[in-house]
Amino acid sequence: MRIHILGSGAGGGFPQWNCNCRNCDGFRKGTIRARRRTQSSIAVSSDSLNWVLFNASPDILAQLHALPAMQPARAVRDTGIRGIVLIDSQIDHTTGLLMLRECTRPLRVYCTEAVYEDLTTGNPICDVLSHFCTVDWQPIRFNGAGCTFTVPGVERLCLAAHPLKSKAPPYSPHRNHPHVGDTIGVVIEDLTTGGRLFYAPGLGEMEPHVLPLMRNADCVLVDGTFWREDEMAAAGIADKRSRELGHLPQSGPGGIIEVLAPLSRPRKILIHINNTNPILDEDSPERAELTRAGIEVSHDGMEIAL
Ligand code: MLT
Ligand code: MN
Ligand code: ZN
């Protein structure tokens, strides 16, 4: 399968429009070596013609322009997107759906009931789209185990969604009352090559079922939001801590570096990187520490073949 990183940044992207943290300011002034990043999304295909989109970011139009294979041009109106999987109902992962309203067919959207509820109440994107292309909701339901499914037209990719603990958005009734299905991670397996990806841009806690999913993958593409637990406070932005926001930091006890350390099989890559994260500075000691730990940092346009 071909995995294309459409957007490697967290909400707000990088640089963030109103931010003058060390990274955002340094990027604008050219004083740090870093790449511009759009908001969190990937596209996966087994034939480079039919694609599954994971998340629909507010930057989706620019992201699609940057991936010509997404426009196969078989008709006057066409797209390579066969289905859209939402990992949560956050703004950075869902508002791009509105940009797809010109679709000539209903948008085939796979998400949990918790996410669908948010998208029809607090963040009523599906209601708005009912006046345009409409949404063909494909429920992701768990009965004790992962939920396995395929997307029509992309049958060589087997998808298995698993509930993860992260954080529902502020407009969700689940913000402070977590529900199973607020956030998912997905194992994507190419039935032809056997290649397996574990994708989890929102990972706030290492529950017992998560490590085996990572261990059995050929590549893990996981939450790279914050380097440290108090990163927002240290940058003078907000006093919310990384775990409180639903994201395991990379450093410190129980952080992503420690979590990934014992895994020998998968390639390890971070995604959904917040603009405050020092790993965005390619010359930072934090970035060097990641490299020593064998962990890569994804960037917009990056391709992974499994
Ligand atoms: C998150 O990942 O925590 C959210 O997407 C933050 C946001 O609303 O931008
Ligand atoms: Mn996010
Ligand atoms: Zn910033």
Side-chain angles (χ1 to χ4, degrees):
M1 75 180 115
R2 175 176 172 195
I3 299 146
H4 185 95
I5 309 295
L6 290 167
S8 56
F14 176 68
Q16 182 173 305
W17 66 283
N18 64 343
C19 189
N20 292 298
C21 72
R22 181 186 178 274
N23 283 341
C24 292
D25 187 54
F27 180 85
R28 288 190 201 97
K29 292 186 171 144
T31 54
I32 64 165
R33 204 160 58 87
R35 290 172 186 253
R36 183 182 294 283
R37 286 176 155 83
T38 62
Q39 295 167 81
S40 178
S41 176
I42 67 170
V44 183
S45 178
S46 57
D47 59 6
S48 293
L49 181 63
N50 299 290
W51 295 82
V52 184
L53 184 66
F54 290 82
N55 301 319
S57 102
D59 301 315
I60 191 161
L61 297 183
Q63 293 170 344
L64 294 180
H65 287 312
L67 179 55
M70 271 286 186
Q71 182 43 267
R74 296 161 295 196
V76 64
R77 292 281 167 92
D78 198 14
T79 177
I81 301 171
R82 302 300 294 255
I84 303 165
V85 178
L86 302 177
I87 74 110
D88 60 30
S89 60
Q90 298 273 4
I91 286 177
D92 57 349
H93 287 154
T94 60
T95 44
L97 291 174
L98 296 172
M99 305 304 125
L100 303 179
R101 66 192 175 282
E102 297 92 353
C103 199
T104 52
R105 279 183 297 219
L107 294 174
R108 200 177 176 85
V109 173
Y110 297 77
C111 67
T112 62
E113 274 176 304
V115 167
Y116 189 70
E117 190 191 332
D118 288 345
L119 298 184
T120 47
T121 56
N123 179 17
I125 286 175
C126 292
D127 297 352
V128 174
L129 286 172
S130 72
H131 300 278
F132 298 89
C133 58
T134 75
V135 169
D136 174 16
W137 176 40
Q138 303 290 312
I140 292 175
R141 292 199 174 97
F142 305 108
N143 37 21
C147 169
T148 302
F149 59 100
T150 54
V151 174
V154 200
E155 282 90 358
R156 297 309 295 166
L157 295 183
C158 177
L159 313 186
H162 298 269
L164 296 179
K165 285 199 173 141
S166 184
K167 190 91 183 185
Y171 39 79
S172 172
H174 303 169
R175 176 72 169 181
N176 298 308
H177 309 278
H179 277 55
V180 170
D182 289 337
T183 305
I184 59 167
V186 188
V187 175
I188 306 151
E189 183 176 353
D190 185 319
L191 299 176
T192 309
T193 65
R196 213 178 288 151
L197 172 75
F198 176 67
Y199 172 60
L203 183 62
E205 201 180 309
M206 277 304 288
E207 298 170 86
H209 67 283
V210 180
L211 202 58
L213 300 175
M214 291 181 167
R215 202 184 286 128
N216 292 327
D218 299 295
C219 179
V220 296
L221 187 57
V222 292
D223 195 332
T225 313
F226 299 114
W227 175 259
R228 43 189 275 198
E229 183 67 4
D230 61 350
E231 186 166 311
M232 297 291 265
I237 293 170
D239 58 9
K240 284 267 189 293
R241 300 175 74 77
S242 175
R243 282 176 175 84
E244 256 180 86
L245 292 166
H247 301 291
L248 274 181
Q250 284 105 61
S251 64
I256 295 277
I257 295 175
E258 212 177 89
V259 165
L260 297 182
L263 305 182
S264 51
R265 173 172 167 180
R267 186 173 165 191
K268 304 163 187 175
I269 309 177
L270 300 180
I271 191 162
H272 190 278
I273 301 142
N274 198 56
N275 61 80
T276 50
N277 192 326
I279 63 173
L280 289 177
D281 176 350
E282 294 178 24
D283 302 312
S284 65
E286 292 86 355
R287 182 63 167 262
E289 192 178 331
L290 274 190
T291 305
R292 280 195 301 277
I295 301 173
E296 300 168 63
V297 179
S298 68
H299 56 83
D300 292 20
M302 182 182 191
E303 293 255 351
I304 303 158
L306 293 178

